[in-house]
Amino acid sequence: MKCYNHNKIDAIGLCKTCSKGICIDCSEEIEFSLACKGKCIERAEMIDNMISNNSVTYSSHKKNKLFMPAFFCGMGAVILFAAYMNDRLFDPFSLMGVLFIIFGIITLITTNKWVKKLK
C-alpha cells in the first residue's frame, strides 16, 4: 500500500479516523494509533479516549453489577422487617418493601443479560 499523499512511498499504516494509508512523513503517532499530521490528530485522540473510557466503564460495571440489586433487595427486606415489627404486614408500607425486592430481582436479571451481551 502506498501513501495517500505520496503515491511512490510505502505507507506505514492507516489513519485511525480517515483510514487513508500514510507514510512516516504524513503520520503522527498518538497514544494507541496513527493519524494524519495536522488533520486527524484531534479526532483520533477523541476516539482513543472514548475507547479507554468505555473499557474502564465496562470493567467497573462487571465488578459492581450486584450493588444495585443488593441495595434494592436489602431496602425491601428492611421495610418488610419494619412492617413486621409494627404488626403492619398487610398495608401499603409492606407492599413497598415487596416492590423493592421485586425491582431488585428484575434489576439483577436484566443486568446479567446485559453483561452477557457485552462479552
Side-chain angles (χ1 to χ4, degrees), residues 26-67:
C26 297
S27 67
E28 182 153 333
E29 189 173 340
I30 301 173
E31 190 173 350
F32 299 110
S33 55
L34 291 175
C36 296
K37 245 183 205 169
K39 296 178 188 175
C40 300
I41 295 169
E42 186 177 325
R43 189 161 182 203
E45 287 173 341
M46 286 186 342
I47 291 170
D48 282 347
N49 286 335
M50 284 191 310
I51 292 169
S52 295
N53 291 340
N54 285 339
S55 65
V56 168
T57 301
Y58 176 71
S59 66
S60 68
H61 184 72
K62 281 175 51 177
K63 295 175 191 171
N64 298 321
K65 69 181 179 181
L66 296 178
F67 177 75

Side-chain angles (χ1 to χ4, degrees), residues 106-117:
I106 291 170
T107 304
L108 178 65
I109 292 168
T110 55
T111 301
N112 283 336
K113 285 183 182 177
W114 182 74
V115 169
K116 284 179 184 177
K117 281 184 183 180

Side-chain angles (χ1 to χ4, degrees), residues 69 71-84 88-107:
F71 172 77
F72 286 118
C73 289
M75 288 303 295
V78 167
I79 292 170
L80 281 177
F81 181 73
Y84 173 75
R88 298 174 62 190
L89 203 51
F90 299 104
D91 68 355
F93 186 65
S94 60
L95 177 64
M96 186 172 66
V98 171
L99 291 175
F100 263 87
I101 292 172
I102 291 170
F103 187 72
I105 292 169
I106 291 170
T107 304

